[in-house]
Structure formats: C-alpha cells, structure tokens
C-alpha cells in the first residue's frame, strides 16, 4: 500500500508542470496574427483618439522592441498606436482590436501580434523564398527586414507559439497584394503562407479564418486598383478566407494608402466579420469622425490662383478653401492670418482645408509639412515675410473699386529697370519698378515732364510689393483718370529691407537697418530716373512715401534732405520714440519753416494696427506742424490699410 501511494504521489508531482501550463492558457484570451505590407504596417499619422490605450482588454505582443514606449519584444502590453514598429503609423489592427473589445463580453481579452513590411512581396512570408528575396530586396526595405532578423515569417511564428501559452489563436488578418498586383501565382502563394501558419501552429483552418482586407480604391483611381479583383477572388482558392471590403474607405493623397479615417473604418470591418464568425453581435466603439469639408457652390476661385487651378476659393462668408495633392505627406497645414488649419483628405486623393471667415484684403499664406514652409503651387507668388509667399485676396465690395482695373480707364505701365549704383553695398546693379501714367507714351506728350513719387514698401517685402500686393498702378490709373490726382511717375525700389531685421541703432535719423539705401536713392536712383525719364527734377516735384519700415525710411530721407523733397507720407509708418522737439536736428521746432518746405504731410494706419500714428500726429500738431491723418476702419498692419492710405495721399500731391 505504501509503495502504491508513493507511485501515485510521484505521478501527481510529475503532472504538476503540465497542469500549471494547461491552466495558464486562457480560453477567453483571443489572439490574432496580423501580417502584410504597408497598409497593414500603417501609413497614416495616428491622431489623438488613436494614441490612448483602450485598456487592458486590448493587448499587443510586440514583434520588435519599442524603447521609447518601454515595450519589449514578446511581452504583452496594452495596445495603442503604433503597433507594428516605432515610427510606423495607424493600422487596421488598431481599430480591429478596439471594435473587438466593444463587441465581446468583458471577460474576453483581445491580443494581436503584428508583423508587416511596407512594399514586401508575398514571397517575403514564404520560408523557402525569404533568403533569395532578401538578396534582391530594395535598399530602403533592408532595415525593415533586419528588424525581424531577415525572416518576418519566422518572427511571427515564434511569437505566436509563445502567445499560445497564454491564449487561443482565433484568426489571421492579412493586408497584402499591392506589390503582387496582376501576379497569377499570388493566390497560391497566399495559400502557402496560410497553410504553413496552420501547420506550424497546429491550427485548424475551419476554426481560424483568414481575413483579407481589400486595397485602396480611391473612386476607381487607386494606384493598385487592379489588385482588387484578385483579392475578391481569393476565397475561390482558400475556402476559409473572407475578404474585407474597402468600399468607400477614404485614402491619402497618394491613392495607395488609406488615411487615418480609412484605417479606422477598415479595422472596424475586420472586427465585425470576426465577431460575427465567433457568434457575437458587432458593436463599434465611438470614433470621432472628421467633419467633411464641403465646398459651397457659391465659392469662387480667387484672383491669386495660377490660371488653370480651381483652388484657392472664397465663399460668400469669406471662408477660404485650399486644396493640394501631396502624396508623401502625412500632415499638411495652411498658415494664414496668424492661424493654422490642418488639411484633411478630401476622398479624391488630395488634401483640403477651410478657414474661418477672413478679413477683406490681401493676405500672405503658407503651407507646412512638419514645420517646413512651402508655397502653395496653386498660388501666384509674392515677396513678403522676407521670402516668396502665396497670396490670397479676400474681395471687398464696390468700396474697393478704386484699386481695381476698369474698362475705359487708360492703363499706365509698370516698367522693370536695372540701374548702376556705385554706392550700393549689395552689388552695383540694382532693380526697380517705375510706373508711368497712360498719357506718358502718347505722342502729343513727348515733351511733357512729370513729377515723381518715390514709394517704399515695408520690412521683409520687395520692390514688386506695391505693384502686386498693393495694386498701386490701378489706384494711380483710376485717380488720374477721374482727375483726383495729377499724372505722375512712381518709383519703387527694394530699399535694402528685404532681408530680416538685423538689430542695431534704428533711432530716427540714425538707422542701421535699411540705411544703406539712402546714398543709393540720393546719389544713384534719383539721378538715373531724372536722366532716363521725362521728370520735373526739382524738389517741388519730388515726393516720398512708404509703408511700415518704408515710412521710417521716408522720415529719415526727407527730413534730412528737405532740399530734395517737398511732399511726404507714411502708411502705418514705423516711427517709434520720436522726440518731435529735437528729432532730425530740430526740423519740427520751427513749424512755420517746416510747413513752407513740406507742402503736404500725411499719415495713416489701421484701426486694428499694432502701429498707431495718432500720438505722433498729436505731438506734431501741438508744435504747429500741418499733418493730415486718417485711420483705416477695420484693418490692421496690411495692404488694405496701405491701399486706402495711398488713395487718400495722392490727390494732394503736386498741387499748390
């Protein structure tokens, strides 16, 4: 009896490890193997709702280490994007797991093992083909292959065997085929991979379906649309295969990969098919869907669009719509009017954004990818912000007719000139634009001479700014044609302020920034204009004005050279800290003398401008200086303010 008891005790002790191992397998822990190429790897940038873990019921056994997330290969952790490898994107497996959690009882856990490589051929998952495939793999793929020790199939199986000690494999999810589009052997090779997995993991095909997602369709314009048919027909080769539809799943601009919303939708569809197969009623978790941007019928293409482009557009509420095709970009932002707008897929292979209602007038704008600014290729370019930029004109009503071209109004010319300047520190040949009134080239006026306005732009802009952004020539044409202004020549130069502000002494009369232009203007440009155009070359017929820093330059030049100028104006002039009693060697101290020399002095600014001229105007008037001033209602430091200023200024010039 004692011997028998000892035998039973020994047998029981020998059975303990087996019992412990068997007890560790949780039948309510459902495990799914996920493999494929880039759309399973995940190409879209995860958004906030994708990054938070849905809780301990959705787990990932990483196939590689994730140092930044503290994940170790082969150790279960809570699942959240990215699932595949560090720096990959959102994948269908993300919202597959979340939907499975929502569709199953609370006692069921969902686990995924995820092995995918962008662009990989199905041969890359066949053990007898992988070594020869690696030798021919493109260089950009080699690092991804090395992450799986150059055998992605073996990595998947090794981890799956480990996972089988914890739970039960319930399905295999695949998204692959784009690389094998049109390959008649593809279905047979997929069957080989599936059969190998079932054999190596001792799975019963009738209990472990193969779920295959279809490709990006992009309304029939998908790059690999030819692959759809071969995927749809895969169940004819593998009877336990179920195809997951990608109908109406949105895509990125490359028409090859889904966008984030598309991955979420496809992932939910995988889960719905699996849940039904397992006997559960599918239930989707809450998904924050991006609001689809609809371009209203009343939206019109803006005047700044490069001809042939439909966008940018403006609607009657002054909202702007931008669209771009950027196949490799995961995130593009439009930056306009000090606000950034994320662009989102439009379902047609492009990205689109809509702004809040914008102020009327001209606005610079940029697009950004990862913080790098670029010019919208659909926009004409304008020099501003110290560089070329896109531009958008939000139209005014009839009140803006003064800066629009009109039928029946004779049009002047804007000429591009190059002149030699020994006094320039930025090269001896310089560029300027010169406006001549419509009558200038009429034969009967061949001997007529004209007064000249030297018109300067602001910091970070260029000699083209007044003509393009400011619509100077239309303002001049309309004012001259109506008799408001006398015919005059207008000269526009860069003023050496295209580059960013570099610091230094910039008190009025002692400027560093832009001061290199002063000897050029006085000693080179004015003599060139007087020698090559029919000008009235005395001070009585010479004016200077400028916007922003061009206003600063106007003060510096005119007030130090009253023998050369008799008219001056500023538009949001950058005039700071001026002691009117002592500035410019006390030029304002004798008001009577000043008022006799300057026949008209004008200043304007916007009601929302960060530069306000009223305090300076008040202090000048207290000294008896005659200065005319106006505030542009509803505008800031922008070209609409300065257009209005120029329009109010020029009727007073060269009249006594």
């Amino acid at each position: 009896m004692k011997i028998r008891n000892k035998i039973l005790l020994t047998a029981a002790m020998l059975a303990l490890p087996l019992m412990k191992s068997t007890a560790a397998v949780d039948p309510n822990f459902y495990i799914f193997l996920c493999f494929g190429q880039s759309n399973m790897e995940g190409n879209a940038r995860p958004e906030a709702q994708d990054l938070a873990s849905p809780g301990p019921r959705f787990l990932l056994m990483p196939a590689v280490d994730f140092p930044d997330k503290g994940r170790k290969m082969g150790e279960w952790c809570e699942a959240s994007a990215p699932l595949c490898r560090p720096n990959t994107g959102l994948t269908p497996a993300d919202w597959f797991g979340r939907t499975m959690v929502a569709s199953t009882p609370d006692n069921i856990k969902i686990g995924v093992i995820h092995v995918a490589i962008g662009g990989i051929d199905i041969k890359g998952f066949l053990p007898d083909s992988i070594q020869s495939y690696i030798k021919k793999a493109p260089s950009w793929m080699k690092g991804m292959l090395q992450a799986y020790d150059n055998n992605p199939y073996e990595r998947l199986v090794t981890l799956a065997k480990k996972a089988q000690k914890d739970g039960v494999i319930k399905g295999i999810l695949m998204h692959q085929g784009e690389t094998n589009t049109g390959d008649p052997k593809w279905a047979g090779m997929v069957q080989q991979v599936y059969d190998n997995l079932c054999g190596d993991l001792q799975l019963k095909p009738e209990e472990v379906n193969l779920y295959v997602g279809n490709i990006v369709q992009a309304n029939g314009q998908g790059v690999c649309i030819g692959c759809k048919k071969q995927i749809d027909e895969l169940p004819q080769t593998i009877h336990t295969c179920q195809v997951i539809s990608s109908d109406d799943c949105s895509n990125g601009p490359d028409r090859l990969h889904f966008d984030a919303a598309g991955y979420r939708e496809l992932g939910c569809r995988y889960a719905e098919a699996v849940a039904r197969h397992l006997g559960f009623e599918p239930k989707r978790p809450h998904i924050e869907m991006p609001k689809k941007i609809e371009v209203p019928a009343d939206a019109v293409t803006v005047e700044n669009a490069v001809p042939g482009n439909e966008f940018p557009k403006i609607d009657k509420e002054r909202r702007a719509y931008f669209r771009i095709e950027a196949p490799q970009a995961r995130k593009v932002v439009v930056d306009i009017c000090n606000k950034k707008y994320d662009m989102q897929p439009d379902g047609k292979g492009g990205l689109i954004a809509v702004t809040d209602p914008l102020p009327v007038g001209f606005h610079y704008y940029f697009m950004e990818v990862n913080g790098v600014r670029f010019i919208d290729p659909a926009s004409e370019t304008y020099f501003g912000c110290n560089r070329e930029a896109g531009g958008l004109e939000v139209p005014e009503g009839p009140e803006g007719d003064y800066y629009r071209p009109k039928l029946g109004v004779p049009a002047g010319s804007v000429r591009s000139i190059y002149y030699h300047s020994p006094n320039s520190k930025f090269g001896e040949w310089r560029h300027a634009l010169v406006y001549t009134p419509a009558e200038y080239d009429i034969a009967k006026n061949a001997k007529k001479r004209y007064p000249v306005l030297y018109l300067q732009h602001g910091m970070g802009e260029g000699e083209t700014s007044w003509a393009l952004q400011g619509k100077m020539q239309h303002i001049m044409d309309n004012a001259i044609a109506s008799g408001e202004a006398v015919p005059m020549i207008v000269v526009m130069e860069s003023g050496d302020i295209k580059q960013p502000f570099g610091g230094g002494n910039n008190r009025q009369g002692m400027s560093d920034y832009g001061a290199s232009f002063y000897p050029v203007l006085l000693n080179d440009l004015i003599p060139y204009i007087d020698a090559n155009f029919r000008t009235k070359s005395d001070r009585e017929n010479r004016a200077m004005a400028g916007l922003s820093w061009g206003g600063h330059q106007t003060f510096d030049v005119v007030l130090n050279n009253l023998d050369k100028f008799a008219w001056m104006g500023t538009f949001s002039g950058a005039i700071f800290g001026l002691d009117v009693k002592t500035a410019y060697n006390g030029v304002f101290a004798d008001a009577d003398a000043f008022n006799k020399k300057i026949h008209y002095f004008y200043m304007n600014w916007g009601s929302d401008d960060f530069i306000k001229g009223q305090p300076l105007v008040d202090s000048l008037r207290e000294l008896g200086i005659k200065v005319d001033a106006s505030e542009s209602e509803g505008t800031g430091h922008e070209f609409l303010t300065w257009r209005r200023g120029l329009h109010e200024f020029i009727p007073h010039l060269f009249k006594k």
Side-chain angles (χ1 to χ4, degrees):
M1 182 66 106
K2 289 182 178 181
I3 294 174
R4 182 170 179 273
N5 288 340
K6 286 182 178 181
I7 293 173
L8 291 172
L9 179 62
T10 301
M13 292 177 66
L14 290 172
L16 280 175
L18 180 60
M19 292 172 62
K20 183 178 180 181
S21 175
T22 302
V25 176
D26 182 355
N28 291 321
F29 186 12
Y30 294 177
I31 297 167
F32 298 87
L33 310 183
C34 308
F35 77 97
Q37 58 183 101
S38 58
N39 272 316
M40 181 58 79
E41 181 185 65
N43 190 262
R45 179 176 178 270
E47 298 172 0
Q49 62 183 316
D50 310 310
L51 296 173
S53 167
R57 288 184 57 209
F58 180 28
L59 302 177
L60 168 71
M61 179 179 280
V64 298
D65 290 338
F66 286 70
D68 292 345
K69 285 184 170 286
R71 296 175 179 175
K72 294 288 186 181
M73 180 179 68
E75 296 182 7
W76 291 110
C77 62
E78 290 189 9
S80 62
L83 301 182
C84 188
R85 297 186 308 279
N87 301 316
T88 55
L90 190 66
T91 158
D94 281 287
W95 285 81
F96 163 78
R98 293 167 187 262
T99 306
M100 285 299 297
V101 166
S103 302
T104 54
D106 291 345
N107 65 324
I108 291 178
K109 295 187 297 184
I110 306 299
V112 294
I113 301 172
H114 199 283
V115 174
I117 295 176
I120 195 169
D121 190 291
I122 193 63
K123 294 176 184 176
F125 291 99
L126 289 172
D128 57 351
S129 302
I130 185 62
Q131 293 308 315
S132 60
Y133 182 75
I134 289 172
K135 293 178 182 178
K136 299 178 181 178
S139 58
W140 53 264
M141 189 185 291
K142 292 187 181 299
M144 294 185 280
L145 288 163
Q146 289 169 3
Y148 302 115
D149 293 330
N150 288 322
N151 198 327
Y153 176 84
E154 182 61 30
R155 178 66 56 85
L156 184 62
V157 169
T158 298
L159 296 180
K161 288 180 178 179
K162 183 177 182 180
Q164 284 180 307
K165 298 176 182 179
D166 302 316
V168 182
I169 295 175
K170 290 288 189 177
I172 300 170
L173 279 57
M174 184 185 93
H175 199 289
Q176 197 279 337
E178 293 96 332
T179 299
N180 294 87
T181 300
D183 185 348
K185 298 181 180 179
W186 177 76
M189 289 187 284
V190 173
Q191 182 172 24
Q192 282 183 262
V193 176
Y194 178 60
D195 290 347
N196 288 343
L197 287 171
C198 289
D200 290 338
L201 299 172
Q202 300 181 25
L203 305 173
K204 296 179 180 179
E206 58 272 18
E207 295 179 356
V208 182
N209 278 2
L210 175 66
Y211 301 89
V212 180
N214 223 313
I215 47 80
V216 165
Q217 297 185 47
N219 296 319
Q221 301 300 312
V223 172
C224 296
I225 193 66
C227 185
K228 182 179 184 301
K229 185 174 184 292
Q230 68 188 40
I231 293 175
D232 285 337
E233 294 176 350
L234 190 59
Q236 298 175 17
T237 301
I238 305 172
H239 74 280
T240 54
C241 169
Q242 183 171 347
V243 175
I244 308 303
S245 170
S246 64
D247 291 358
D248 300 319
C249 286
S250 55
N251 57 275
D254 61 359
R255 304 194 310 277
L256 178 62
H257 299 99
F258 299 98
D259 60 13
Y263 283 118
R264 294 185 195 107
E265 177 62 28
L266 190 63
C268 290
R269 294 180 185 182
Y270 271 104
E272 288 168 342
V274 171
R276 290 190 185 97
H277 178 72
L278 297 177
F280 301 107
E281 184 64 29
K283 182 180 178 181
R284 291 195 177 197
H286 172 71
I287 300 177
E288 293 181 11
M289 299 301 291
K291 185 178 180 181
K292 186 177 180 181
I293 295 174
E294 299 285 354
V295 182
D298 66 9
V300 296
T301 303
V302 300
E303 65 178 70
N304 318 85
V306 173
N309 287 278
E310 183 182 359
F311 291 86
K313 286 188 166 187
I314 290 284
D315 67 16
K316 65 181 180 180
E317 303 297 329
R318 303 200 311 273
R319 291 180 298 237
Y321 299 81
F322 302 91
R323 186 182 185 277
I324 191 172
E325 293 194 12
Q328 301 303 317
R330 292 190 179 182
K331 182 176 182 179
V332 182
V333 171
V334 175
D335 185 346
I336 184 170
C337 293
N338 299 314
K339 187 170 182 178
K340 295 184 178 182
Y341 300 87
D342 288 336
M343 302 194 78
Q344 67 181 52
D346 64 357
K348 301 176 183 178
L351 297 168
I352 192 168
V354 59
T355 69
D356 296 331
L358 298 172
V360 295
F362 176 88
H363 308 289
Y364 298 112
Y365 78 95
F366 297 93
M367 291 182 173
E368 292 183 2
V369 175
N370 298 328
V372 178
R373 286 186 161 192
F374 65 96
I375 303 170
D376 180 0
S379 171
E380 298 283 7
T381 56
Y382 303 84
F383 195 88
C385 309
N386 307 111
R387 56 168 292 177
E388 296 289 348
L392 185 84
E393 183 78 27
V394 181
E396 281 193 286
E399 67 274 16
D401 285 348
Y402 69 92
Y403 59 75
R404 297 184 178 116
K406 298 177 183 177
L407 290 173
V409 171
S413 300
V414 179
R415 307 164 192 242
S416 174
I417 66 163
Y418 287 86
Y419 66 100
H420 190 252
S421 175
N423 291 287
S424 176
K425 74 173 189 176
F426 295 111
E428 292 188 350
W429 286 98
R430 296 176 65 104
H431 181 234
L433 297 184
V434 180
Y435 166 85
T436 55
E439 67 173 49
Y440 185 87
D441 293 316
I442 297 176
K444 69 178 183 179
N445 296 322
K447 294 184 179 181
K448 183 176 179 179
R449 293 188 173 273
Y450 297 85
V452 184
L453 166 63
Y454 289 85
L455 185 62
Q456 290 305 115
H457 58 84
M459 182 186 298
E461 293 169 331
E463 63 271 27
T464 61
S465 298
W466 265 112
L468 297 180
Q469 294 97 294
K471 300 183 181 291
M472 172 279 312
Q473 65 273 36
H474 304 315
I475 296 173
M476 297 301 304
D477 289 341
N478 291 329
I480 292 170
S482 67
E484 292 179 78
V486 302
M488 69 186 78
I489 293 171
V490 182
V491 180
M492 296 152 283
E493 223 268 17
S494 75
D496 293 345
I497 56 174
K498 296 173 80 169
Q499 77 279 15
F501 180 74
N505 183 357
N506 283 291
R507 284 181 296 157
Q508 276 66 32
M510 303 179 188
S511 300
D512 289 335
Y513 180 66
S516 56
F517 173 59
Y518 303 163
V520 171
L521 171 66
L522 297 170
N523 302 319
D524 301 323
L525 181 56
I526 290 177
Y528 176 88
I529 295 299
D530 287 341
N532 290 275
F533 291 84
R534 301 194 309 276
T535 67
K536 294 180 179 179
S537 57
D538 60 324
R539 70 174 297 276
E540 297 293 319
N541 290 285
R542 190 178 296 127
M544 186 173 181
L547 70 88
S548 194
W549 201 264
H552 181 112
Q553 292 182 309
T554 297
F555 263 56
D556 281 1
V557 171
V558 173
L559 298 177
N560 282 314
N561 297 277
L562 290 176
D563 60 323
K564 296 180 173 64
F565 298 89
W567 318 79
M568 65 182 291
T570 67
F571 320 113
S572 302
I575 317 297
F576 307 114
L578 188 69
D579 183 348
V580 295
K581 295 179 180 179
T582 61
Y584 302 106
N585 298 314
V587 70
F588 298 120
D590 187 341
D592 289 340
F594 180 85
N595 293 336
K596 288 178 182 178
K597 291 181 179 179
I598 295 297
H599 302 317
Y600 186 69
F601 182 10
Y602 172 83
M603 298 177 68
N604 101 310
W605 57 91
S607 62
D608 301 328
D609 210 322
F610 67 86
I611 295 179
K612 298 286 190 180
Q614 192 64 56
L616 178 56
V617 169
D618 292 342
S619 63
L620 289 169
R621 287 174 175 170
E622 287 177 5
L623 293 180
I625 300 298
K626 293 180 180 178
V627 53
D628 201 358
S630 69
E631 183 174 85
S632 171
E633 184 60 35
T635 62
H637 204 71
E638 57 185 286
F639 262 102
L640 189 51
T641 297
W642 309 324
R643 292 174 190 170
R644 291 174 178 175
L646 180 63
H647 183 228
E648 293 180 2
F649 177 57
I650 56 175
H652 300 276
L653 295 182
F654 313 121
K655 297 177 181 178
K656 291 185 181 179

